Amino acid sequence: MNEPVNHRDSWLVASTRRHVKHAYLIVFSIVFFCGITTCLALYHEEKQHILSDEQIAGDEFVALLKDALENYGKEVTSFSVMVQSTNEALTYDIFQRASKQYESTEKNQSLRVYFAKYVPHDHLNAYLKQQRSLMGQMDFNITPRGEREGYLPLTYGYPFTSNPGFDLLEPSYVNHQVIQRIRSAKSLVMSQIMSIASGSESVKPDKFVLRRSIYLPLDNLKGRVTDELGFYGVIGVIFDVKGLKQQLESHSERGFSYRISDVSDNPEHPVWFADSSHGRDFDPNHEIYWSKGVYNTHVIDFAGRSWRVDTRYSSSFPSLVNWGLIIVAFVIFSLLAVLLSWYVKLLANAYNQALRLASDHIEIDELTGLFSRYKIQTELNALIRRCRLKDQKLASFFMDLDYFKTINDAFGHETGDKLLIKVAQRLRSVLPDEAVIGRLGGDEFLVLLVLREHEKNAYLEGLCREVILQVSQSYFIDGRTLNIGCSIGVALYPDYGLDAETLVKNADMAMYEAKTAGRATYYFYDAQMGARLSRNVRIETRLRQALQDDVLELQFQPKVDLNTQKCVGLEALLRWEDSELGWVSPAEFVPVAEQTGIILLLGEWVFEQACKHIVVWREEGIQVPPIAVNCSAAQLKRPNFLAHLLGLLDKYKIDPSLLELEVTESILIEDAESCAELLRQVSQLGMKLAIDDFGTGYSSLSYLKDLPFHYVKIDQVFIRDIMEDPDHDALTRAIINLSHDLNLKVIAEGITRTDQLERLKSYGCDIGQGYLFSAALGASSMVNDPMIVALREQQEDDGTLEN
């Protein structure tokens, strides 16, 4: 029954319902606000992107301007190097040829070059005579006139020389300090931007001069006149701003603006000598244009001057924004707000009823979100009624996770809960949409699926395989990789259950059968299964009773040396004949014993009976060979196994060498490390060990190499078909050869024919066991068995029989 809702819960439900009524307005406001926020974020992102691009474009433009100025500087430097490297005095012809090389480029079409030669006072007359002869002007003289230590007159010019003979060292010269700095610094110096106008003509400044001093090595003057430090003169090159702009305009982006000013002398009031007006004069709105926009400012220091460069995109910022993206986002969010609010309003009417069901927590499993046990049972009853009316079939899948308990115990319930959540998610993804999925509790799930007319068992089998495959994939939880399996039992309505209880019970029984078959598989319930499971229940009940009544029997089958045909050992075999069930095969009752835990009691009973028989035979004067006893995985896993075994040996005073242990490979796979250590301890006692049913399990060679085994037993499946099946024959021969290489003896069980015996002997098999030699014998029959008699006679002859 559902628990009553208390007053606090009632108030909470009522309050929730009131808010639900206006939920559509809340949804609209939230979504619309998210849209506005998204649009603003997109606008901000666009703005940052445009500003970043503008900054990058400006940086690239400044780098281009620097490269252009550096190239100008290299030209002047190369000119001076040419003068320095010539082995003769600089003549006008040499100067003219060198100047024409620079004029040939487009950027230097209006280039002007001049050379001012240094003339000491004592060489003044020789210089005047040379220049008058060269220029054909007898009145050539150095101006302004006056007596000075040295002169630096304009000597050569290309294409012409303004004011030839003008002395640049004259103190009244406007650039006198610049010339002095060039002479002392021996470096490239640039003038401020200037205009070269005739008369009173006033034009925008459009020229700049690069000057460099020329020094000659004092030890290699070769008749050339210098001062005491080797100063020979000054090279000056006048460049046109128009040529510089042509280099910049050819590389600037479309829609990119710039302006350049020399701010070396007056940084607060720059005079712009170049801009992106493509040669046009400054328009009246030029300063307004730059004051309105946000622009980037850079400063370039070159040849003693500082240039300020302002850059920006020509277009206004709004015109650069990608408004389409912002508008699309706004429209999408607006439509989404309208649709969601409308949908929420539709759901609001149905929400109150759903709220009551959810508050009671009776329909949905809180952990996985699947249907609860109550809800899935309700759904099952409803589906059965529907299928009864429409004559349809209903499949009930009972699912249980393999090894979940191990993970839950090892890592805690929190990890187990997270694993169940992920399993539920995978079930939803792999099962059809019409499937009803519920969690019964723990790691058990129930799935209900109404079948269409064309969907048969083959469809259900494929669905089971897909579910097992998906559920068995690895899970990554809390930094661990976890692996589980899934066993599924299927029962169909109306074939094997007309009501919900019977259908679920039969599906549960089928799932149990799937686990018995090896897990990670599926099983369909049928009539034979019901009979078989019923018999297994009877076997379990009668087996427990048989242990109490001591009606079980231990028989012994001889193991024979194939070369000498003599008995070298016995295998203890458990036999059971029940008063109700009749004779029950070990192949039938041993698996039941393993599944129910009775195998532990059976194992202890077999060991003790074997020890008792050895004592009885010893008292009767019969010395039997070692007796091999089979050990189950459950026995070896018990912490007190070795202690119990030692207790039996001490109780009956039996030499450990009279017992042998036979274990299967599956035992080592399940818990290899602990089982390996246990087997080493058993071997150290003097007991011999054998791997039973070799070849039918995992057959890992590491067991033969690393563990103290003495025998390898080849399963009778191979021996039975050794003459007819070439594969079994080859495997048998390979196992024998491998075992001998590892110094292990081989026991072949299930020999029933002479041709099998001869084939095994030809392969070098050591020991045989089977009906060809002897069936399993009761303890009382051992006295008269020919093999045991022959063994006793041999012992008497050898004097090894105990008296």
Side-chain angles (χ1 to χ4, degrees), residues 233-244:
V234 173
I235 287 290
V237 182
I238 303 174
F239 292 100
D240 191 356
V241 172
K242 181 179 180 181
L244 176 63

Side-chain angles (χ1 to χ4, degrees), residues 367-378:
L367 179 62
T368 62
L370 302 176
F371 282 155
S372 65
R373 186 184 190 96
Y374 162 80
K375 179 62 176 177
I376 197 68
Q377 290 177 343
T378 304

Side-chain angles (χ1 to χ4, degrees), residues 494-552:
D495 300 339
Y496 302 108
L498 296 176
D499 58 82
E501 183 179 357
T502 304
L503 199 62
V504 173
K505 181 189 71 173
N506 290 342
D508 188 11
M509 293 172 65
M511 183 277 297
Y512 184 83
E513 190 73 8
K515 282 191 174 292
T516 304
R519 301 187 181 186
T521 186
Y522 60 91
Y523 213 94
F524 282 67
Y525 183 87
D526 54 27
Q528 291 78 14
M529 180 187 298
R532 185 168 59 255
L533 293 177
S534 178
R535 177 172 172 80
N536 287 345
V537 173
R538 290 186 64 198
I539 287 175
E540 178 187 355
T541 303
R542 297 301 300 169
L543 189 56
R544 293 184 187 276
Q545 190 64 41
L547 280 171
Q548 294 178 7
D549 298 341
D550 197 17
V551 297
L552 297 172

Side-chain angles (χ1 to χ4, degrees), residues 329-389:
F330 178 80
V331 171
I332 290 176
F333 273 94
S334 298
L335 291 175
L336 186 62
V338 172
L339 292 175
L340 285 179
S341 60
W342 173 75
Y343 184 72
V344 170
K345 189 174 182 179
L346 291 179
L347 293 177
N349 296 330
Y351 182 79
N352 290 330
Q353 183 177 358
L355 185 62
R356 287 195 299 270
L357 296 175
S359 63
D360 294 335
H361 305 293
I362 61 173
E363 290 191 348
I364 301 299
D365 179 67
E366 294 184 1
L367 179 62
T368 62
L370 302 176
F371 282 155
S372 65
R373 186 184 190 96
Y374 162 80
K375 179 62 176 177
I376 197 68
Q377 290 177 343
T378 304
E379 289 291 321
L380 178 55
N381 289 322
L383 289 175
I384 289 177
R385 289 193 297 269
R386 168 186 161 187
C387 291
R388 184 183 300 119
L389 293 174

Side-chain angles (χ1 to χ4, degrees), residues 195-435:
S195 61
I196 299 178
S198 61
S200 61
E201 182 182 0
S202 176
V203 297
K204 184 178 71 173
D206 62 350
K207 300 289 190 299
F208 61 93
V209 184
L210 288 176
R211 301 181 179 91
R212 188 178 182 88
S213 60
I214 300 175
Y215 277 81
L216 301 178
L218 295 176
D219 57 349
N220 190 22
L221 295 176
K222 294 186 177 181
R224 293 175 290 185
V225 179
T226 68
D227 66 2
E228 64 277 7
L229 297 178
F231 176 63
Y232 186 58
V234 173
I235 287 290
V237 182
I238 303 174
F239 292 100
D240 191 356
V241 172
K242 181 179 180 181
L244 176 63
K245 288 182 60 178
Q246 287 177 348
Q247 299 180 66
L248 302 178
E249 296 290 347
S250 62
H251 293 84
S252 63
E253 296 183 15
R254 181 181 180 184
F256 180 80
S257 298
Y258 68 88
R259 62 179 181 177
I260 307 173
S261 172
D262 187 337
V263 294
S264 303
D265 303 324
N266 191 2
E268 299 299 327
H269 299 87
V271 177
W272 308 104
F273 64 84
D275 63 7
S276 53
S277 59
H278 303 283
R280 299 190 301 271
D281 292 338
F282 288 99
D283 57 63
N285 297 323
H286 186 78
E287 291 298 330
I288 298 177
Y289 168 77
W290 283 98
S291 63
K292 285 183 178 180
V294 177
Y295 55 87
N296 300 300
T297 298
H298 315 263
V299 176
I300 300 175
D301 294 319
F302 178 75
R305 305 295 296 180
S306 294
W307 284 10
R308 170 181 162 180
V309 183
D310 293 343
T311 60
R312 59 163 289 175
Y313 279 140
S314 301
S315 303
S316 62
F317 176 77
S319 65
L320 297 174
V321 175
N322 183 9
W323 291 106
L325 178 63
I326 298 174
I327 293 174
V328 167
F330 178 80
V331 171
I332 290 176
F333 273 94
S334 298
L335 291 175
L336 186 62
V338 172
L339 292 175
L340 285 179
S341 60
W342 173 75
Y343 184 72
V344 170
K345 189 174 182 179
L346 291 179
L347 293 177
N349 296 330
Y351 182 79
N352 290 330
Q353 183 177 358
L355 185 62
R356 287 195 299 270
L357 296 175
S359 63
D360 294 335
H361 305 293
I362 61 173
E363 290 191 348
I364 301 299
D365 179 67
E366 294 184 1
L367 179 62
T368 62
L370 302 176
F371 282 155
S372 65
R373 186 184 190 96
Y374 162 80
K375 179 62 176 177
I376 197 68
Q377 290 177 343
T378 304
E379 289 291 321
L380 178 55
N381 289 322
L383 289 175
I384 289 177
R385 289 193 297 269
R386 168 186 161 187
C387 291
R388 184 183 300 119
L389 293 174
K390 296 184 177 183
D391 195 22
Q392 290 179 306
K393 285 193 173 184
L394 172 65
S396 173
F397 300 81
F398 196 106
M399 302 171 52
D400 185 85
L401 303 182
D402 301 329
Y403 311 112
F404 175 80
K405 185 177 184 302
T406 302
I407 293 176
N408 207 37
D409 293 342
F411 303 113
H413 294 288
E414 184 177 353
T415 299
D417 289 345
K418 293 179 180 178
L419 181 58
L420 289 175
I421 293 173
K422 290 186 176 291
V423 170
Q425 293 171 351
R426 293 192 182 180
L427 289 178
R428 288 194 190 96
S429 65
V430 71
L431 289 169
D433 293 338
E434 61 271 19

Side-chain angles (χ1 to χ4, degrees), residues 451-469:
L451 302 182
R452 303 182 181 93
E453 290 183 359
H454 64 279
E455 292 174 341
K456 305 298 181 183
N457 282 6
Y459 168 75
L460 296 179
E461 290 176 359
L463 187 60
C464 288
R465 286 192 293 269
E466 183 64 22
V467 169
I468 292 173
L469 177 64

Side-chain angles (χ1 to χ4, degrees), residues 657-678:
S657 63
L658 292 178
L659 289 178
E660 296 177 356
L661 296 187
E662 292 186 1
V663 297
T664 60
E665 299 167 272
S666 61
I667 294 176
L668 302 174
I669 288 293
E670 292 176 7
D671 194 0
E673 186 175 349
S674 60
C675 285
E677 179 60 28
L678 176 62

